[in-house]
Amino acid sequence: MPEHEPECTETLLEVEAYLDGEVDPALAERVTHHLSDCSPCLDRAEFRKHLKQMVRDKCTERAVPDSLVTRIRQLIEEP
């Protein structure tokens, strides 16, 4: 990672948005290129990807209580 340090820092700052498909195409291309050439960053990205999937799977096993949904909506709508 030291020889790629600036690119690693940028990649790891953007990896969450990248995994969620929330980056513009140019940045996605840079991150993809970096991950293909940097195994430490790829390992971190793969870990985050698997962690996100595990959380997604575990958090959908139960229905969210209506009171929680109402409270979240209230917090979002507050100025």
Side-chain angles (χ1 to χ4, degrees):
M1 194 157 60
E3 73 266 9
H4 298 131
E5 187 116 12
E7 294 91 0
C8 292
T9 299
E10 179 183 347
T11 298
L12 295 175
L13 286 172
E14 300 294 346
V15 76
E16 292 294 326
Y18 169 81
L19 292 173
D20 291 338
E22 297 175 349
V23 296
D24 64 71
L27 180 56
E29 185 176 326
R30 285 196 311 271
V31 171
T32 299
H33 181 265
H34 180 81
L35 293 177
S36 71
D37 193 40
C38 182
S39 59
C41 286
L42 178 60
D43 290 344
R44 287 183 180 191
E46 286 295 316
F47 174 80
R48 296 299 302 167
K49 180 180 174 183
H50 292 295
L51 180 61
K52 288 169 107 30
Q53 185 61 49
M54 185 175 69
V55 168
R56 189 177 305 121
D57 291 346
K58 296 296 181 185
C59 289
T60 58
E61 290 181 356
R62 296 185 187 137
V64 177
D66 290 336
S67 60
L68 178 59
V69 172
T70 301
R71 181 70 182 131
I72 292 170
R73 284 190 177 132
Q74 288 172 344
L75 289 170
I76 291 171
E77 293 172 358
E78 286 181 0

